[in-house]
Amino acid sequence: MKSVDPGVLPQSACFAFSPSSGQRELCFYPTWCGHYFCTADYFKKRQSYHYLLILYIREGELHVEAGGQSFDARKGDVVLLDCTQPHYYHARDGLEFCYLHFEGSNAHELVRHIREQRGSLIQDESCASIGMQLFDLVQFHRKKGEESFFQTSLRIYKLIERLAVPPTKFTAKEDPVEAAIHYIKEHIGEPISLSSLAEAAHLSPYYFAHRFKKQTGFSPLDYVIHTRINRAKELLLQTSLSVNEIAYEVGYHNGRSLVNLFTQRVGASPSNFRKSKQLQY
């Protein structure tokens, strides 16, 4: 199905679902899912929409205003909204995202609890896994896959699990891409190469890079930078470490490298980012 929303490009796809009465009574169930490529004309502004929304940014930037908050979600971020509340979001050119609208018994209460704990904008190591699951969901329906409503519901429960309990430990049963993400997190202050990530995933570098990009929307080394920037944000806000000290902690030999990348990715220098956030509290 093609979206009729403004600013959605032709290569995009979306899928609507009509849950049975059993699904409505017993399970979480999807109402819409999709994979959108957008221009700056794309936007949504609603006073209320009955469903919940999980959205993962694969490329670009989305400005969001909801629940008294205003923020910009960028590549690798997850947005979680209860759309029964007034909300507005609009794209910047080059936006690509996967999304799921869903509903179910106690779903709103559970999402309210998660948002109280983590907020509407989520930026940590759980995001890539959530992005993979949303992408897989859309690809399943692109290929006209069929599954029981319990299987469909299980997909949503797994997403909620990732949101409610971010992964902290790696097990051998994890996907190779998740193994690489775990490796990045554990070695963030050390040199990380494509070959070391491929080795952690037990794949050839070429196949690993292709699979990682397909599942997360990032190249492996771009994801390393993304993770380092997010870790730098945490250290800027939670410690009194200098920018040079933080650069060392996140794997850069000098503060200039971190300052250049941080400013490019975040839109503010590390020092200005720290000052602006401190003024909010």
Side-chain angles (χ1 to χ4, degrees), residues 3 40 55 106 173:
S3 172
L55 184 152
N106 295 320
K173 295 182 180 179

Side-chain angles (χ1 to χ4, degrees), residues 231-250 258 270-271 274 278:
R231 178 59 180 152
K233 287 180 180 179
E234 294 175 1
L235 292 172
L236 286 165
L237 299 181
Q238 298 172 7
T239 75
S240 58
L241 293 174
S242 69
V243 172
N244 284 333
E245 290 170 326
I246 291 173
Y248 180 80
E249 289 292 323
V250 299
L258 175 62
S271 297
R274 173 180 265 167
Q278 288 173 341

Side-chain angles (χ1 to χ4, degrees), residues 26-279:
L26 299 174
C27 303
F28 286 2
Y29 55 87
T31 58
W32 286 90
C33 74
H35 183 182
Y36 281 6
F37 299 82
C38 304
T39 71
D41 292 327
Y42 175 74
F43 75 97
K44 286 287 184 183
K45 185 174 185 179
R46 295 180 286 216
Q47 283 299 114
S48 182
Y49 187 59
H50 189 63
Y51 307 115
L52 300 157
L53 173 65
I54 302 174
L55 184 152
Y56 175 76
I57 309 293
R58 291 175 61 89
E59 290 286 351
E61 186 175 315
L62 181 73
H63 178 75
V64 182
E65 297 176 14
Q69 295 181 302
S70 177
F71 56 84
D72 293 324
R74 299 182 173 92
K75 182 176 179 177
D77 294 345
V78 167
V79 176
L80 178 64
L81 298 180
D82 184 342
C83 295
T84 59
Q85 303 169 354
H87 57 282
Y88 165 71
Y89 47 85
H90 73 258
R92 307 267 189 346
D93 274 336
L95 175 68
E96 176 191 353
F97 66 93
C98 292
Y99 73 91
L100 170 69
H101 278 296
F102 70 100
E103 181 58 280
S105 178
N106 295 320
H108 289 266
E109 290 77 6
L110 183 54
V111 166
R112 184 181 306 115
H113 171 75
I114 294 170
R115 291 174 67 214
E116 287 173 353
Q117 300 300 313
R118 305 186 66 183
S120 296
L121 176 64
I122 298 169
Q123 299 173 304
D124 62 27
E125 67 276 8
S126 68
C127 293
S129 177
I130 292 167
M132 284 187 271
Q133 291 179 60
L134 289 173
F135 180 79
D136 288 344
L137 173 64
V138 176
Q139 289 299 100
F140 178 80
H141 290 290
R142 276 185 186 271
K143 297 174 182 177
K144 303 185 185 303
E146 295 184 5
E147 61 186 359
S148 71
F149 74 78
F150 285 112
Q151 291 171 311
T152 299
S153 182
L154 183 59
R155 289 179 184 269
I156 303 175
Y157 280 103
K158 287 181 177 179
L159 283 166
I160 293 298
E161 179 187 19
R162 287 294 190 191
L163 289 164
V165 186
T168 55
K169 294 182 179 180
F170 167 72
T171 68
K173 295 182 180 179
E174 278 186 301
D175 179 271
V177 172
E178 293 196 24
I181 290 171
H182 175 82
Y183 180 92
I184 292 168
K185 179 186 174 186
E186 293 298 311
H187 298 83
I188 198 63
E190 305 169 20
I192 300 174
S193 65
L194 177 61
S195 59
S196 65
L197 293 174
E199 183 178 351
H202 304 292
L203 298 172
S204 72
Y206 175 82
Y207 180 68
F208 165 72
H210 173 76
R211 182 165 176 173
F212 195 99
K213 174 70 173 180
K214 181 178 179 180
Q215 291 185 210
T216 68
F218 287 91
S219 70
L221 297 183
D222 194 32
Y223 188 81
V224 172
I225 295 172
H226 174 76
T227 304
R228 285 174 169 161
I229 294 299
N230 281 343
R231 178 59 180 152
K233 287 180 180 179
E234 294 175 1
L235 292 172
L236 286 165
L237 299 181
Q238 298 172 7
T239 75
S240 58
L241 293 174
S242 69
V243 172
N244 284 333
E245 290 170 326
I246 291 173
Y248 180 80
E249 289 292 323
V250 299
Y252 295 110
H253 295 301
N254 58 71
R256 182 176 296 277
S257 296
L258 175 62
V259 169
N260 290 340
L261 282 167
F262 194 98
T263 304
Q264 178 185 348
R265 297 291 179 108
V266 179
S269 69
S271 297
N272 287 339
F273 175 83
R274 173 180 265 167
K275 290 176 183 176
S276 66
K277 293 299 181 181
Q278 288 173 341
L279 291 174

